[in-house]
Amino acid sequence: MNIEVCKNPSSTDVDLIATGLKGFNKEFGTEDHHNRIGIFARDDSGRSIGGAVSSFQYTSCYLHLFWIEADSRGKGLGRAVYEALTQKCREQGVKDIFLDTFSFQSRGFYESLGFECVGCLRNYPKQGISKLFYHATIS
């Protein structure tokens, strides 16, 4: 047996591990049932100025990406994108939304939307920065 450390592993090697893990998870009823959704904010010319990318799995939503360009922040656009996401969540029977963010990102914004910090990795990815984990319940 050999142990190999690879920088930038091949997609074949990564797919092998992902497929094995998915097979294992399936035994516990948590196989992939992901439905990815994007919600995009566009200016009057149709140019994307921000949005969110999420995935639904059973009764949960994971908010992978959320960003609004700097000139469009503070005008209610982020809240409108989030409200569109929660509406889609309700339609899909989703009860909980989860996300992670860094301490230098929009903690106050997420908390104003009703998210609660449920975990923290201090000094990740480097000293002085923390990775925060949030949860919100859809009402």
Side-chain angles (χ1 to χ4, degrees), residues 67-83:
W67 177 82
I68 304 294
E69 71 177 19
D71 291 344
S72 299
R73 293 179 193 149
K75 301 175 183 174
L77 189 58
R79 184 171 292 276
V81 167
Y82 180 70
E83 288 173 2

Side-chain angles (χ1 to χ4, degrees), residues 84-130:
L85 173 63
T86 58
Q87 178 58 37
K88 191 65 176 173
C89 286
R90 286 184 197 95
E91 292 169 10
Q92 298 290 317
V94 168
K95 305 295 183 200
D96 298 282
I97 300 180
F98 301 90
L99 66 86
D100 63 80
T101 190
F102 290 109
S103 54
F104 61 85
Q105 293 175 326
S106 299
R107 297 172 62 170
F109 171 69
Y110 293 124
E111 291 168 4
S112 77
L113 295 174
F115 280 89
E116 177 184 355
C117 187
V118 294
C120 175
L121 294 176
R122 287 181 173 66
N123 298 316
Y124 179 84
K126 66 179 190 174
Q127 292 292 313
I129 295 176
S130 296

Side-chain angles (χ1 to χ4, degrees), residues 4-106:
E4 178 184 1
V5 176
C6 298
K7 183 176 181 179
N8 301 315
S10 73
S11 59
T12 301
D13 286 338
V14 173
D15 288 346
L16 173 89
I17 294 168
T19 300
L21 182 58
K22 287 177 186 179
F24 177 81
N25 290 349
K26 189 174 185 175
E27 294 177 33
F28 296 91
T30 60
E31 66 272 16
D32 280 344
H33 283 269
H34 291 279
N35 296 308
R36 187 162 270 202
I37 184 169
I39 299 171
F40 303 98
R42 302 191 190 280
D43 66 13
D44 293 337
S45 69
R47 183 179 66 86
S48 183
I49 55 175
V53 177
S54 302
S55 62
F56 297 153
Q57 188 173 16
Y58 300 104
T59 59
S60 297
C61 171
Y62 199 85
L63 182 50
H64 297 278
L65 303 168
F66 196 121
W67 177 82
I68 304 294
E69 71 177 19
D71 291 344
S72 299
R73 293 179 193 149
K75 301 175 183 174
L77 189 58
R79 184 171 292 276
V81 167
Y82 180 70
E83 288 173 2
L85 173 63
T86 58
Q87 178 58 37
K88 191 65 176 173
C89 286
R90 286 184 197 95
E91 292 169 10
Q92 298 290 317
V94 168
K95 305 295 183 200
D96 298 282
I97 300 180
F98 301 90
L99 66 86
D100 63 80
T101 190
F102 290 109
S103 54
F104 61 85
Q105 293 175 326
S106 299

